[in-house]
Amino acid sequence: MEQRMSANLEKLLRVFADTRVQLATTALAASAITAGVMWGTRRTRRTKRARDLKRSTLESIDFEGDSAFLGIDNEPQNTIVTKHTQVELTPNEESLIREQLARHYAFLGADGMAKLRDSFVVVVGAGGVGSWAAMMLLRSGVQRIRIIDFDQVTLSSLNRHVAATRATVGISKVEALKMSFLDIAPHAQIDARVALFSADTASDLLSGSPDYVLDCIDNMDTKVDLLTFCHKNNIRVISAMGAGMKSDPSRVQIADISDTFEDPMSRVVRRRLKMLGILSGVEVVYSTEKPGKVQLVSLAESQTEEPGDFSVLPDFRVRIVPVLGTMPAMFGIAMGTRVLTELAGFPTEPMAIKSRHALYARVQRELGNREKDRTAEFGGPQLRMSTDDTGYMLDEIWRGKSAVSGVTDKLALTRWRRDLPMTTSNCVCMTKSEADKHDKISGSPEDNYSPDIVEFVEQRLNEEKHISKMR
């Protein structure tokens, strides 16, 4: 064995003693070193160029004017739409639109549809949520819509964007929506803004006296800027929280930002708004589904050193959020439904959902304790309400709010008129402290509450009498 190894070593030494072999080996090594240096230099230059380009994007690119960059034609020019933009229809066209919207006229009535058709709505963010919200508003009769988004349709948009097709890949999302909208309602006035919303552009992009603003932005800083601007300027707004990584459609809710729970994005937005002095008054669509079933898509090894270089724009997320295409659509349709009923003056009152079954049981138990203390003067103890009846009164009749203050926390049920039996037709929702005071009043409710509160409670109890006939 040792002799064989020595023989092989001698052969190897003789080969490398050859001048030609030495030159060839040196050349190969030099080539490898040169290639490594060139590759490293190119990678460094490419990374620097990408970083510099993104940092200068907002200054060097006119989102609304640079059509070549965004892949849209210069013609036709975009229409600037405001609340007062005229919508002109011939009698024949009006007849077609009335037929097109016949089911909505039957639902909302002529007055409601007149309000809806006279409205002006701004949708900020034209992705999976915003595109569906805007589409359903258009299909429902809104004739003046401004859509704002800087992004383009990609192949991945096809799983969730309402207007995305293979043919629209590469053009701006707002332009894709506008083309689709005009196929459905040629008379509609669509203001397609290829722009990035920011605090600096807010006054311009939200100009024109909009009746409603729909926040469908997925960047946290921009979202807070928009909500703050709307709150300070008394513009009605509804905001979409995170639809990504969610899969349970039964958990989608509409509530004030102060009443949200379980949703990480809602929590962050709520805290940041609170720091700005905004505690409530911002309505949101969110999901109570607990996160954690799926995770963000991991960065590739080549992206870990400088992850910001791979974002669409500076300060925008890098990692991909897994999304079921149906969930953004549900968020968007929920937003659109809420907005169109508000614009049409059709009464809906979203409930703040917080562990309702446990709440129903607690409220019924406390109601039983209240009834135990009833004296013979007021008919003695009476409790003819089950746990289901308690939930029905809290949610369906009183919408999860106190009839006196509108508060949603620490609720209780008690008799409205103490001299009448405790039934669903004589049951009012208040906070615990309000109910305690109410149980001690002397005289009738009319003697102790304002006419507005008495009228409101009587209206709801009459509504209950009507509903109970069908239960």
Side-chain angles (χ1 to χ4, degrees):
M1 178 66 72
E2 293 181 359
Q3 292 178 350
R4 186 181 302 169
M5 290 181 61
S6 298
N8 290 335
L9 182 59
E10 289 178 3
K11 289 180 181 179
L12 188 61
L13 290 173
R14 284 198 300 270
V15 170
F16 279 99
D18 191 322
T19 305
R20 289 174 299 177
V21 173
Q22 292 177 354
L23 291 174
T25 303
T26 303
L28 286 173
S31 298
I33 294 171
T34 302
V37 171
M38 291 177 62
W39 182 86
T41 302
R42 289 177 180 177
R43 183 175 182 276
T44 301
R45 289 176 178 174
R46 184 167 59 250
T47 301
K48 185 177 184 302
R49 284 198 302 269
R51 188 185 301 117
D52 292 344
L53 176 61
K54 288 168 184 175
R55 287 176 178 173
S56 63
T57 296
L58 300 182
E59 299 176 359
S60 63
I61 296 175
D62 178 1
F63 283 106
E64 296 188 74
D66 199 337
S67 301
F69 173 78
L70 292 155
I72 53 178
D73 297 332
N74 289 324
E75 297 293 341
Q77 293 295 322
N78 184 47
T79 303
I80 304 300
V81 178
T82 71
K83 171 72 173 175
H84 307 292
T85 300
Q86 294 296 314
V87 179
E88 299 180 356
L89 290 168
T90 66
N92 287 339
E93 289 173 330
E94 176 63 24
S95 177
L96 288 173
I97 295 303
R98 290 294 293 254
E99 177 64 23
Q100 187 172 326
L101 299 173
R103 301 296 178 92
H104 278 79
Y105 271 96
F107 196 102
L108 299 172
D111 290 342
M113 285 303 299
K115 295 175 183 176
L116 195 62
R117 294 182 64 182
D118 190 48
S119 64
F120 169 45
V121 174
V122 178
V123 180
V124 187
V129 175
S131 64
W132 279 94
M135 174 65 81
M136 296 316 298
L137 288 173
L138 176 92
R139 289 184 180 275
S140 300
V142 177
Q143 301 176 135
R144 302 173 188 83
I145 301 177
R146 180 180 299 158
I147 323 162
I148 302 166
D149 201 305
F150 70 91
D151 207 359
Q152 296 170 279
V153 177
T154 64
L155 279 173
S156 68
S157 303
L158 270 66
N159 89 317
R160 61 193 181 278
H161 193 281
V162 74
T165 66
R166 291 273 181 105
T168 59
V169 170
I171 73 170
S172 67
K173 290 179 178 178
V174 296
E175 198 66 21
L177 279 172
K178 183 173 182 177
M179 291 188 294
S180 181
F181 285 4
L182 295 180
D183 284 339
I184 298 166
H187 68 287
Q189 298 295 313
I190 309 299
D191 187 347
R193 301 282 186 98
V194 183
L196 179 65
F197 186 90
S198 68
D200 295 333
T201 61
S203 58
D204 175 48
L205 294 178
L206 301 184
S207 63
S209 304
D211 295 292
Y212 235 109
V213 172
L214 285 76
D215 162 35
C216 306
I217 302 171
D218 56 9
N219 177 265
M220 194 64 68
D221 293 337
T222 312
K223 179 178 289 289
V224 172
D225 286 342
L226 184 148
L227 296 177
T228 302
F229 182 89
C230 289
H231 190 271
K232 289 182 177 179
N233 289 277
N234 296 316
I235 301 174
R236 285 196 292 181
V237 62
I238 184 168
S239 178
M241 298 292 106
M245 304 169 68
K246 303 293 177 70
S247 60
D248 188 347
S250 69
R251 304 295 184 91
V252 179
Q253 307 290 338
I254 300 177
D256 189 272
I257 187 68
S258 61
D259 293 325
T260 57
F261 70 110
E262 295 290 3
D263 180 46
M265 179 178 280
S266 298
R267 182 168 57 253
V268 174
V269 172
R270 184 171 63 246
R271 289 175 177 174
R272 293 185 62 170
L273 290 177
K274 186 176 182 180
M275 293 172 63
L276 297 171
I278 302 173
L279 304 181
S280 61
V282 175
E283 199 165 56
V284 301
V285 176
Y286 78 108
S287 171
T288 60
E289 182 178 358
K290 292 181 181 293
K293 293 181 181 178
V294 294
Q295 303 297 323
L296 291 172
V297 177
S298 300
L299 292 173
E301 185 178 347
S302 61
Q303 297 174 312
T304 55
E305 293 183 11
E306 297 289 344
D309 294 338
F310 298 90
S311 63
V312 178
L313 288 173
D315 301 321
F316 275 64
R317 69 168 183 241
V318 181
R319 298 175 69 183
I320 297 174
V321 177
V323 180
L324 285 181
T326 52
M327 294 305 291
M330 290 191 67
F331 273 56
I333 291 173
M335 293 180 80
T337 303
R338 177 61 174 159
V339 170
L340 73 89
T341 54
E342 284 290 289
L343 292 174
F346 190 87
T348 60
E349 293 185 41
M351 297 179 296
I353 307 298
K354 292 188 176 182
S355 303
R356 309 306 284 181
H357 294 295
L359 173 63
Y360 300 158
R362 177 184 64 77
V363 171
Q364 192 213 22
R365 184 172 59 253
E366 292 175 355
L367 179 58
N369 293 334
R370 289 180 185 279
E371 282 301 302
K372 287 179 182 178
D373 298 330
R374 298 294 181 189
T375 63
E377 177 185 2
F378 298 110
Q382 297 178 359
L383 183 59
R384 303 172 184 174
M385 290 173 57
S386 66
T387 304
D388 289 341
D389 291 330
T390 302
Y392 157 72
M393 291 302 297
L394 275 175
D395 290 342
E396 296 298 327
I397 302 304
W398 298 111
R399 278 66 157 179
K401 300 177 183 178
S402 164
V404 176
S405 61
V407 173
T408 61
D409 290 332
K410 300 179 180 179
L411 298 178
L413 294 178
T414 190
R415 296 189 193 189
W416 173 235
R417 298 184 184 276
R418 292 193 297 165
D419 56 336
L420 296 179
M422 179 61 209
T423 65
T424 55
S425 299
N426 187 40
C427 179
V428 66
C429 179
M430 300 178 175
T431 65
K432 289 182 181 180
S433 59
E434 290 168 349
D436 291 339
K437 292 179 181 178
H438 177 79
D439 290 345
K440 297 175 182 178
I441 65 173
S442 59
S444 67
E446 286 82 358
D447 298 330
N448 293 275
Y449 296 101
S450 69
D452 289 342
I453 291 178
V454 173
E455 181 182 0
F456 173 71
V457 173
E458 293 294 339
Q459 179 184 358
R460 287 293 173 85
L461 292 178
N462 286 332
E463 177 183 332
E464 192 286 322
K465 291 176 183 178
H466 175 72
I467 294 175
S468 64
K469 295 177 182 179
M470 299 177 285
R471 291 184 69 209

